[in-house]
């Protein structure tokens, strides 16, 4: 199986921590030149200095805030003028928790911009390069809420569905150019975002954090949270030559938690 990403250029968004960081590490290990995107410049510098370079990989970073789509557009359009892109990982911070009935219109607009609109801006900018190279891999990090909405994640549940539909439509249009478009649906993955969800839920239920955590683990067939590296392993396969005939799918990586077939 060919998993080599040597000579491939990857853009990994939201890659200073959590799932994005794990994906950047894995793609670099397989030989990709990685360009990281996030807001925190210091963290970006630190991450690229830690990525594998043993195969001659060259890594770089771009600073961008996905709550400002126009800035993202300028940044990526400038980047593709000088760089070829084979792999794009669309990923950013998730919308804040809260019940949908309490959600303000502005919260939906913010999440729509940060997730769907930025994915679209980045994708449309890199596709010409992927077409030219006859190799494209677009991987969107969404959530299992695409399949089954989760409690207290009203805005997130709503936006994730839109991103999944956008991605499937893109896959239909781009397949003929050897560009695959797939979604990863993380379950409960040990990152800062999960930790802050557990904190919020414990406060709301006026109970101990460990109790909430154990309750969540009991709902997972594998009885544990996932590691970011376990999402990264699937992303790496999809990004590689071996993933060439997988497109238009949403893959839960959730220890079996999602209760649908
Ligand atoms: N962890 C889970 O259990 C889980 C489950 C289901 C779905 N997900 C989803 O998967 C995605 C990644 O999750 P995670 O747990 O890895 O999140 P995380 O630990 O909060 O990391 C988010 C990353 O995105 C960047 N980011 C946040 N806001 C940004 C913005 N406005 N512009 C540009 N970059 C931004 C952050 O870097 P900077 O702060 O430097 O910008 C960071 O690198 C999220 O959408 C999350 O909702 C996670």
């Amino acid at each position: 199986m060919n998993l080599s990403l040597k000579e491939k250029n990857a853009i990994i968004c939201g890659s200073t921590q959590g799932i994005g960081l794990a994906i950047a590490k894995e793609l670099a290990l397989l030989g990709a030149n990685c360009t990281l995107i996030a807001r925190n410049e210091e963290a970006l510098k630190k991450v690229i200095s830690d990525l594998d370079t043993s195969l001659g990989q060259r890594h770089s970073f771009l600073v961008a805030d996905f709550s400002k789509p126009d800035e993202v557009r300028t940044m990526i359009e400038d980047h593709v003028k000088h760089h070829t892109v084979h792999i794009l990982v669309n990923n950013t911070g998730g919308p804040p928790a809260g019940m949908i009935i309490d959600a303000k219109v502005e919260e939906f607009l913010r999440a729509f911009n940060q997730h769907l609109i930025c994915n679209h801006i980045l994708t449309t900018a890199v596709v010409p390069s992927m077409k030219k190279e006859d190799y494209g891999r677009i991987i969107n990090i969404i959530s299992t809420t695409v399949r089954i909405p989760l409690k207290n994640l009203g805005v997130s549940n709503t936006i994730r569905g839109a991103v999944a539909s956008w991605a499937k439509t893109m896959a239909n249009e781009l397949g003929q150019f050897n560009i695959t478009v797939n979604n990863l649906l993380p379950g409960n993955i040990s990152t800062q975002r999960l930790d802050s969800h557990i904190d919020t839920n414990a406060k709301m239920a006026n109970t101990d954090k460990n109790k909430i955590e154990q309750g969540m683990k009991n709902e997972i067939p594998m009885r544990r949270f996932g590691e970011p590296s376990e999402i990264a392993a699937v992303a790496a396969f999809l990004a590689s030559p071996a993933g060439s005939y997988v497109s238009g799918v949403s893959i839960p990586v959730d220890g079996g938690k999602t209760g649908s077939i």
Side-chain angles (χ1 to χ4, degrees):
M1 177 159 69
N2 183 3
L3 294 173
S4 172
L5 297 179
K6 218 164 176 293
E7 312 293 328
K8 298 285 188 286
N9 300 331
I11 293 181
I12 306 107
C13 306
S15 40
T16 50
Q17 61 181 49
I19 292 169
L21 169 60
I23 293 175
K25 283 184 183 167
E26 195 61 54
L27 299 192
L29 277 172
L30 292 175
N33 303 310
C34 295
T35 300
L36 312 184
I37 305 182
R39 293 166 302 181
N40 183 334
E41 186 166 349
E42 286 313 305
L44 284 163
K45 282 182 186 158
K46 165 88 180 68
V47 173
I48 60 164
S49 70
D50 288 345
L51 294 180
D52 187 77
T53 52
S54 59
L55 301 168
Q57 307 92 313
R58 287 189 307 266
H59 309 301
S60 59
F61 68 85
L62 298 164
V63 179
D65 183 347
F66 284 21
S67 65
K68 297 173 183 155
D70 289 338
E71 285 184 22
V72 173
R73 186 194 306 278
T74 308
M75 175 274 298
I76 193 70
E77 286 182 354
D78 191 49
H79 180 79
V80 295
K81 275 184 202 154
H82 313 286
H83 299 88
T84 298
V85 181
H86 304 95
I87 300 159
L88 170 66
V89 179
N90 284 315
N91 175 52
T92 183
M99 286 177 44
I100 198 160
I101 194 69
D102 298 326
K104 305 269 179 300
V105 168
E106 296 71 34
E107 289 178 66
F108 287 106
L109 294 174
R110 214 175 298 132
F112 194 75
N113 268 328
Q114 189 171 337
H115 290 260
L116 194 129
I117 299 300
C118 282
N119 284 3
H120 189 69
I121 287 171
L122 291 160
T123 299
T124 49
V126 301
V127 157
S129 175
M130 290 178 174
K131 281 183 181 171
K132 214 161 144 196
E133 292 290 304
D134 199 26
Y135 190 102
R137 302 282 190 267
I138 298 167
I139 300 163
N140 309 299
I141 308 304
I142 320 185
S143 169
T144 56
T145 60
V146 164
R147 298 273 169 83
I148 298 178
L150 289 175
K151 273 187 203 160
N152 207 37
L153 282 172
V155 174
S156 182
N157 291 339
T158 309
I159 297 305
R160 308 299 189 174
V163 174
S165 295
W166 166 87
K168 182 69 184 171
T169 313
M170 269 297 172
N172 291 344
E173 292 183 13
L174 297 181
Q176 63 186 307
F177 306 110
N178 277 331
I179 300 173
T180 67
V181 185
N182 292 293
N183 306 318
L184 291 182
L185 314 181
N188 294 136
I189 307 300
S190 295
T191 68
Q192 281 185 23
R193 174 163 171 89
L194 180 65
D195 212 45
S196 76
H197 272 316
I198 295 170
D199 266 343
T200 312
N201 290 348
K203 276 181 199 135
M204 274 174 59
N206 198 18
T207 185
D208 183 54
K209 205 176 151 179
N210 291 334
K211 220 169 157 184
I212 295 285
E213 202 170 306
Q214 198 49 55
M216 289 169 75
K217 287 180 181 167
N218 289 344
E219 286 174 23
I220 304 169
M222 298 193 78
R223 297 287 187 272
R224 65 173 178 86
F225 294 154
E227 292 302 320
S229 61
E230 292 177 295
I231 304 286
V234 187
F237 167 76
L238 291 173
S240 74
S244 52
Y245 203 56
V246 182
S247 192
V249 297
S250 292
I251 306 175
V253 186
D254 63 354
K257 185 181 171 215
T258 303
S260 62
I261 296 172

